[in-house]
């Protein structure tokens, strides 16, 4: 099928060489089908145009007969203005795509075209309204975007000193952490060295810290005892003196 189509397409001209495989044949076959379908459409269009031409010619002959019989005017005897009007009539009939040149057909076609025109105009106005709305929204969005960019730029500028200060603090913190770690290592090494030289372990930093914590805990435990002891210190040293104190308090009451 493809070979016959190519021979028909090129006629007496040799068919150009091409690689024959399944893919190229499939592509050519698809092109052939599209080409044949287009040829059929063109033929149908030509036949329709011929049919319309025949109808218009028949219509023209009909009107020529009417004009000749009714008014006694032949085509060659018509004035230039009449010929122009007749040509305009034919052109209008072709533009409006009417079945015949009767007034009813023209009125119907003109009404349909007017209706389409109004619909198109209404649709265009609606699209223009949507376009105006979209333009307003776009303008507003662009203004907001511009303001946001400006705010972001101002925020970046205002944060630059804070970022620099935070960076400095971060560097200082890292330095102090490293220094603290180094000092802890040095203290630990010094303690190990002192212990190796015979230092009492109770005098090491860890032992002293533990003792300090224990001392703080004991101080907390002693606080209530101190309060209770203070209440006892106010008492008289002997029972007779206590009886005198009680008697004085009773007289005051």
């Amino acid at each position: 099928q493809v070979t016959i189509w190519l021979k028909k397409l090129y006629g007496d001209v040799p068919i150009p060489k091409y690689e024959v495989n399944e893919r190229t044949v499939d592509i050519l076959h698809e092109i052939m089908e599209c080409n044949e379908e287009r040829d059929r459409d063109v033929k149908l269009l030509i036949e329709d145009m011929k049919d319309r031409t025949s109808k218009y010619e028949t219509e023209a002959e009909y009107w020529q007969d009417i004009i000749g019989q009714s008014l006694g005017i032949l085509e060659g005897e018509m004035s230039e203005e009449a010929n122009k009007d007749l040509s305009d009539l034919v052109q209008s009939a072709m533009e409006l795509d009417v079945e015949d040149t009767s007034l009813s057909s023209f009125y119907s076609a003109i009404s349909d075209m007017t209706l389409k025109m109004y619909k198109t105009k209404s649709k265009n106005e609606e699209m223009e309204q949507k376009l105006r709305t979209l333009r307003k929204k776009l303008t507003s969005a662009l203004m907001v975007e511009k303001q946001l960019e400006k705010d972001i730029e101002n925020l970046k500028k205002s944060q630059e000193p804070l970022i620099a200060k935070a960076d400095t603090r971060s560097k200082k913190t890292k330095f102090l952490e490293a220094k603290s770690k180094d000092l802890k290592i040095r203290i630990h090494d010094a303690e190990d060295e002192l212990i190796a030289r015979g230092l009492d372990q109770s005098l090491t930093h860890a032992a002293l810290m533990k003792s300090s914590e224990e001392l703080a805990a004991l101080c907390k435990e002693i606080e209530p005892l101190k309060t209770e002891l203070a209440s006892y210190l106010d008492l008289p040293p002997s029972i007779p003196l206590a009886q005198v104190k009680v008697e004085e308090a009773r007289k005051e009451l």
Side-chain angles (χ1 to χ4, degrees):
Q1 290 179 358
V2 172
T3 304
I4 294 170
W5 172 68
L6 288 172
K7 288 180 178 179
K8 182 181 177 182
L9 184 65
Y10 284 95
D12 297 333
V13 181
I15 299 173
K17 294 182 180 180
Y18 64 93
E19 184 180 352
V20 180
N21 55 45
E22 186 176 356
R23 183 171 177 275
T24 56
V25 171
D26 287 342
I27 292 172
L28 288 171
H29 188 269
E30 186 176 353
I31 295 172
M32 178 194 72
E33 289 180 343
C34 293
N35 187 269
E36 289 178 348
E37 185 176 356
R38 187 191 63 182
D39 290 343
R40 286 194 295 269
D41 292 341
V42 171
K43 286 180 181 178
L44 290 173
L45 182 61
I46 291 172
E47 290 176 359
D48 182 63
M49 293 299 293
K50 286 181 178 179
D51 185 54
R52 287 175 180 271
T53 303
S54 177
K55 286 182 179 179
Y56 288 138
E57 287 177 351
T58 305
E59 187 77 15
E61 291 176 358
Y62 169 74
W63 284 106
Q64 284 177 1
D65 291 340
I66 290 177
I67 291 171
Q69 292 175 5
S70 301
L71 304 176
I73 300 174
L74 298 177
E75 185 179 0
E77 297 175 351
M78 290 175 65
S79 64
E80 183 178 352
E81 185 178 358
N83 283 325
K84 185 177 180 303
D85 291 340
L86 186 60
S87 298
D88 291 341
L89 182 65
V90 174
Q91 186 67 28
S92 299
M94 294 178 67
E95 291 289 339
L96 294 172
D97 194 19
V98 295
E99 292 292 333
D100 51 44
T101 55
S102 62
L103 286 176
S104 58
S105 296
F106 275 110
Y107 284 147
S108 178
I110 291 171
S111 297
D112 291 340
M113 288 193 72
T114 304
L115 181 61
K116 288 180 181 178
M117 183 187 70
Y118 280 123
K119 286 183 179 179
T120 306
K121 187 177 179 181
S122 176
K123 190 173 182 181
N124 288 339
E125 289 176 354
E126 184 180 352
M127 292 297 292
E128 286 177 0
Q129 182 63 32
K130 288 182 179 179
L131 183 60
R132 284 193 293 269
T133 304
L134 287 174
R135 282 177 178 171
K136 288 181 180 178
K137 289 183 179 179
L138 180 60
T139 303
S140 177
L142 289 173
M143 291 176 67
V144 171
E145 183 182 4
K146 189 175 181 180
Q147 184 62 38
L148 285 174
E149 289 177 353
K150 188 176 179 181
D151 292 342
I152 290 170
E153 188 67 26
N154 293 334
L155 183 62
K156 285 181 179 178
K157 288 181 179 179
S158 64
Q159 285 185 344
E160 283 177 0
L162 297 176
I163 292 171
K165 190 181 289 185
D167 187 51
T168 304
R169 287 181 180 176
S170 177
K171 288 180 180 178
K172 286 183 179 179
T173 304
K174 288 181 180 178
F175 171 76
L176 292 174
E177 287 176 353
K179 191 71 176 177
S180 175
K181 187 176 181 182
D182 180 61
L183 289 174
K184 285 181 180 179
I185 293 171
R186 287 185 181 185
I187 292 170
H188 186 268
D189 292 342
E191 288 177 350
D192 290 343
E193 186 177 354
L194 290 172
I195 291 169
R197 292 182 180 183
L199 178 70
D200 187 1
Q201 290 192 5
S202 63
L203 299 176
T204 60
H205 178 71
L208 291 173
M209 289 294 295
K210 185 177 180 181
S211 298
S212 177
E213 291 174 356
E214 290 176 352
L215 179 61
L218 288 173
C219 287
K220 283 186 177 181
E221 291 178 2
I222 290 172
E223 285 297 328
L225 296 176
K226 283 183 177 180
T227 305
E228 186 177 355
L229 179 61
S231 65
Y232 285 113
L233 290 175
D234 293 336
L235 294 174
S238 63
I239 294 175
L241 289 175
Q243 289 175 349
V244 172
K245 289 273 187 183
V246 170
E247 188 64 25
E248 290 177 352
R250 186 176 297 165
K251 287 181 178 181
E252 287 178 0
L253 290 171

